[in-house]
């Protein structure tokens, strides 16, 4: 049974090594291909704040007791 446990340990270790290496490589690939995002600004002042849309009105109707 000791030989079976030793084989299982090697398999787990190799899996964890590859999983760690894969996550590092994936993170490096994401950082290498990243682009800076630009903020979208709106000149309309009426769009900011609370808006009572049809979904909100439907919720209010359904929440009444």
């Amino acid at each position: 049974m000791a030989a079976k446990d030793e084989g299982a340990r090697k398999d787990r270790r190799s899996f964890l090594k590859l999983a760690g290496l894969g996550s590092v490589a994936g993170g490096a690939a994401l950082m290498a291909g990243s682009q800076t995002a630009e903020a979208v600004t709106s000149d309309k002042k009426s769009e900011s704040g609370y808006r009572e849309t049809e979904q909100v009105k439907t919720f209010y109707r359904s929440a009444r007791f």
Side-chain angles (χ1 to χ4, degrees):
M1 184 161 171
K4 185 176 181 181
D5 289 339
E6 186 65 31
R9 285 186 187 147
K10 287 181 183 178
D11 288 341
R12 279 187 245 140
R13 287 180 187 160
S14 62
F15 170 74
L16 292 174
K17 287 179 188 177
L18 288 175
L21 181 62
S23 64
V24 170
L30 285 175
M31 292 302 294
S34 67
Q35 297 176 355
T36 57
E38 296 180 15
V40 177
T41 58
S42 176
D43 293 335
K44 296 181 181 179
K45 296 290 181 180
S46 63
E47 287 188 18
S48 64
Y50 177 78
R51 287 178 277 157
E52 195 167 319
T53 62
E54 287 300 317
Q55 293 176 339
V56 173
K57 291 176 185 178
T58 304
F59 173 75
Y60 287 158
R61 281 192 300 268
S62 68
R64 289 186 183 146
F65 294 98

